[in-house]
Amino acid sequence: MNSIGLALDIYKKVVFENVPFSLAIKNEWKNKNVEAPQRNEVSALVGCALRHYLIFEYRISELKIDFSNKEKLCIMLVLANNLFIKKFDNSDILGFINENFSSSDKQEAALNLIQSLNDPNLLIPDSIDRNSKEYLSLRYNTPTWIVKMLQKHYGYKFAYKTLRANSKPSINSCRVNSSIISKDDFNFNLVDEFGNNIMMRLLKNKI
């Protein structure tokens, strides 16, 4: 199965069936015997589309076209690829659109939107106030009610810093019980079946 089609299957499970992302991709790898290189590009594409779900949904809704839920997800995946991942070329994209849209009018509308949004900086329209709750919601992919709650209780500055921090990847960490083993001994003895130091690889020597 091609990577974009596989990404769509995973994306549908996460969005429509509320399957956790990690479980959805794990099940898909197992059921379809997906090899490592394809796993990387599929998980990157789906992850990117999820991280930009709210702004993609907003831009699609502006068209006032009755896209099916599946067609909306297709547009989101293509936007994620074209704006950020840049893995799949035009022939892949056109084939994907042709395969999954119910009419030529919807195909044309989708392609026009995709072509018009050719810069990540153009995703959020200028008409949205940069100091508004809606902007923070779209910029950091967070429901408006959470933004309102944070701002109400802690103020704009704290809400902004919190949302910005939440948008960054978490850092791996490890706490060692030094009354049982020293940090150096723990790091030295933790090796995989090939003799490679796991902690050095995962934490980049920061324990």
Side-chain angles (χ1 to χ4, degrees):
M1 187 174 190
N2 67 63
S3 294
I4 309 182
L6 188 57
L8 178 60
D9 288 345
I10 296 171
Y11 202 20
K12 287 191 294 185
K13 286 183 172 61
V14 175
V15 175
F16 299 148
E17 301 176 24
N18 294 317
V19 178
F21 174 61
S22 59
L23 181 59
I25 59 174
K26 182 179 179 180
N27 290 340
E28 210 68 16
W29 303 160
K30 180 180 179 180
N31 295 336
K32 297 180 180 176
N33 296 319
V34 183
E35 298 296 330
Q38 190 178 23
R39 291 184 183 190
N40 293 336
E41 61 188 27
V42 170
S43 58
L45 183 60
V46 178
C48 182
L50 287 169
R51 288 191 298 274
H52 296 87
Y53 182 87
L54 290 181
I55 184 57
F56 288 168
E57 183 181 48
Y58 179 89
R59 296 311 298 255
I60 293 170
S61 68
E62 286 185 313
L63 297 180
K64 308 296 183 184
I65 294 176
D66 187 26
F67 290 114
S68 69
N69 289 331
K70 177 184 176 182
E71 289 168 341
K72 291 176 183 178
L73 297 191
C74 289
I75 296 173
M76 293 178 186
L77 287 172
V78 174
L79 287 172
N81 175 74
N82 289 8
L83 291 170
F84 303 103
I85 304 300
K86 302 183 186 298
K87 176 67 177 180
F88 307 100
D89 59 27
N90 287 335
S91 61
D92 294 324
I93 297 303
L94 289 174
F96 179 65
I97 294 292
N98 291 334
E99 182 181 345
N100 289 287
F101 279 70
S102 60
S103 71
S104 57
D105 289 342
K106 288 185 177 182
Q107 289 180 18
E108 183 179 0
L111 289 172
N112 286 340
L113 174 64
I114 292 163
Q115 290 167 4
S116 67
L117 296 175
N118 54 14
D119 183 341
N121 296 319
L122 299 176
L123 274 175
I124 302 180
D126 292 335
S127 58
I128 296 179
D129 183 359
R130 266 37 184 177
N131 294 316
S132 68
K133 299 179 183 66
E134 184 178 22
Y135 175 81
L136 290 179
S137 172
L138 296 175
R139 173 66 180 82
Y140 295 108
N141 199 49
T142 304
T144 305
W145 69 268
I146 293 181
V147 178
K148 289 180 178 178
M149 179 190 68
L150 288 172
Q151 194 165 336
K152 177 181 179 181
H153 291 286
Y154 304 107
Y156 177 88
K157 187 175 181 180
F158 179 88
Y160 169 77
K161 287 184 176 180
T162 300
L163 294 171
R164 185 179 180 185
N166 286 343
S167 70
K168 296 179 179 179
S170 59
I171 299 174
N172 291 320
S173 61
C174 178
R175 186 173 182 179
V176 177
N177 186 343
S178 57
S179 65
I180 299 176
I181 187 172
S182 71
K183 293 180 181 179
D184 289 339
D185 288 340
F186 177 81
N187 187 34
F188 179 78
N189 289 304
L190 192 63
V191 296
D192 61 19
E193 64 270 27
F194 302 107
N196 299 315
N197 192 298
I198 297 173
M199 196 55 59
M200 290 287 286
R201 184 175 70 248
L202 293 180
L203 306 182
K204 297 180 180 179
N205 206 26
K206 293 181 180 179
I207 66 171

